[in-house]
């Protein structure tokens, strides 16, 4: 799945998780809280593609995100080389490898959440780096007038908007409350990304680091199995090839449906802002 599809599905997941957490804790997050949750989800859903040079998340923060991307790529290559089995696919395991696994998503989410407990500056840095690619990708998927007027589809514009949103949250004192939620958003968004990729023909290694039997070997054969075999969430007949004409149409439908769902999720809170003034 391409960046727009990942960002839109992640935004819906972020908005839903924000609403669920607000309901569970009794916090009245309102439209602003749901919107921030959506932006966090959108950006987090792009993080796995830090393992690919030139991806939205890789370039969104300039040298800083490029540095993180290179570190993730080296870690992915190291993990693949250390744990691969004879029946694993050829290659270096860099793209759609370790960084796309649920294990990595949960681990990174816990790391972010733990760091946020130590200092709010961890949350601040994570918010800027996560919000920027999410804002950029959502702007490309949204109406053209948004791109023409706000210029937030450009990396510089998206980064500036991310900094302003983060600064507003910091000044309002909301940063302390966002710490653990930022960690949860990172994990949820990355898993949503993996679901999106495994709906295509590409797939991702869902079961790593568990050893799985190779499906091509006979039951009686001594098969050492594989750890990096990619799995899918859709039947083969429903999967699409990323970048193909039909694939782009499918992903555009997904983007529009997610944007409509976002509006429906935020609209009640927006309407609630005006109800007291009219009663």
């Amino acid at each position: 799945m391409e960046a727009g599809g990942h960002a839109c599905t992640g935004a819906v997941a972020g908005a839903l998780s924000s609403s669920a957490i607000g309901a569970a804790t009794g916090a009245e997050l309102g439209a602003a809280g749901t919107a921030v949750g959506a932006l966090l989800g959108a950006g987090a859903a792009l993080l796995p593609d830090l393992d690919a040079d030139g991806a939205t998340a890789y370039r969104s923060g300039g040298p800083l995100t490029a540095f993180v991307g290179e570190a993730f790529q080296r870690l992915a290559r190291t993990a693949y080389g250390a744990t691969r089995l004879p029946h694993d696919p050829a290659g270096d395991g860099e793209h759609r490898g370790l960084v796309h696994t649920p294990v990595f998503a949960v681990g990174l989410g816990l790391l972010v959440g733990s760091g946020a407990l130590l200092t709010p500056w961890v949350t601040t840095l994570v918010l800027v780096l996560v919000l920027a690619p999410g804002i950029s990708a959502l702007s490309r998927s949204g109406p053209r007038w948004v791109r023409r007027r706000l210029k937030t589809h450009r990396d510089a514009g998206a980064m500036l908007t991310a900094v302003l949103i983060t600064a507003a949250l910091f000044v309002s004192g909301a940063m302390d409350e966002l710490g653990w939620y930022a960690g949860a958003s990172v994990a949820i968004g990355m898993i949503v990304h993996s679901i999106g990729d495994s709906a295509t023909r590409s797939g991702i290694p869902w079961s790593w680091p568990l050893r799985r039997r190779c499906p091509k070997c006979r039951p009686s054969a001594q098969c050492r199995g594989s750890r990096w075999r990619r799995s899918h969430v859709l039947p083969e007949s429903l999967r699409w090839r990323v970048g193909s004409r039909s694939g782009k149409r499918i992903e555009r439908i997904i983007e529009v449906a997610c944007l409509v769902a976002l509006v429906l999720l935020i609209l009640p809170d927006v309407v609630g802002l005006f109800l007291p003034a009219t009663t």
Side-chain angles (χ1 to χ4, degrees):
M1 185 177 282
E2 296 183 341
H6 284 310
C8 290
T9 52
V12 172
L16 288 173
S17 63
S18 175
S19 299
I21 290 171
T25 60
E28 296 183 3
L29 301 177
T34 305
V36 171
L39 291 175
L40 270 173
L46 295 170
L47 290 182
D49 278 342
L50 280 168
D51 64 8
D53 294 351
T56 300
Y58 185 97
R59 67 170 190 272
S60 61
L64 181 58
T65 48
F67 174 80
V68 175
E70 292 298 326
F72 280 8
Q73 290 171 19
R74 177 170 294 187
L75 186 61
R77 292 193 299 268
T78 302
Y80 186 75
T83 64
R84 68 173 300 182
L85 294 171
H87 289 178
D88 279 318
D92 58 9
E94 184 175 283
H95 185 45
R96 296 198 180 97
L98 176 69
V99 185
H100 279 67
T101 62
V103 170
F104 189 87
V106 173
L108 185 60
L110 289 173
L111 184 63
V112 170
S114 300
L117 295 177
L118 300 176
T119 171
W121 290 108
V122 170
T123 313
T124 302
L125 179 61
V126 169
L127 280 178
V128 172
L129 296 181
V130 171
L131 289 175
I135 292 169
S136 175
L138 286 176
S139 298
R140 294 195 198 99
S141 298
R144 290 184 180 179
W145 65 266
V146 174
R147 296 193 292 274
R148 288 198 301 265
R149 295 184 181 182
L150 301 181
K151 308 297 184 184
T152 49
H153 64 293
R154 298 177 180 175
D155 292 339
M159 178 58 70
L160 176 60
T161 305
V163 170
L164 292 176
I165 292 174
T166 304
L169 293 171
F170 191 91
V171 171
S172 68
M175 199 62 71
D176 293 336
E177 301 297 329
L178 276 171
W180 68 272
Y181 176 62
S185 294
V186 165
I188 293 170
M190 293 183 73
I191 291 173
V192 168
H193 178 111
S194 295
I195 293 173
D197 274 353
S198 57
T200 70
R201 296 181 185 177
S202 302
I204 62 109
W206 275 101
S207 59
W208 184 88
L210 300 177
R211 185 194 297 260
R212 299 174 61 190
R213 184 177 179 83
C214 178
K216 296 181 180 180
C217 290
R218 296 178 179 178
S220 59
Q222 291 185 350
C223 175
R224 295 183 61 186
S226 64
R227 290 194 178 98
W228 296 97
R229 182 161 58 89
R230 295 179 178 179
S231 303
H232 304 81
V233 296
L234 290 178
E236 187 174 0
S237 59
L238 297 180
R239 302 170 200 160
W240 66 90
R241 182 168 60 85
V242 178
S244 66
R245 184 175 299 179
S246 59
K248 288 182 177 180
R249 284 198 296 266
I250 292 171
E251 293 189 25
R252 186 56 184 166
I253 292 172
I254 293 173
E255 291 174 23
V256 172
C258 288
L259 291 174
V260 171
L262 273 178
V263 172
L264 295 177
L265 285 170
I266 297 175
L267 189 59
D269 291 325
V270 174
V271 172
L273 295 174
F274 298 97
L275 284 180
T278 58
T279 56

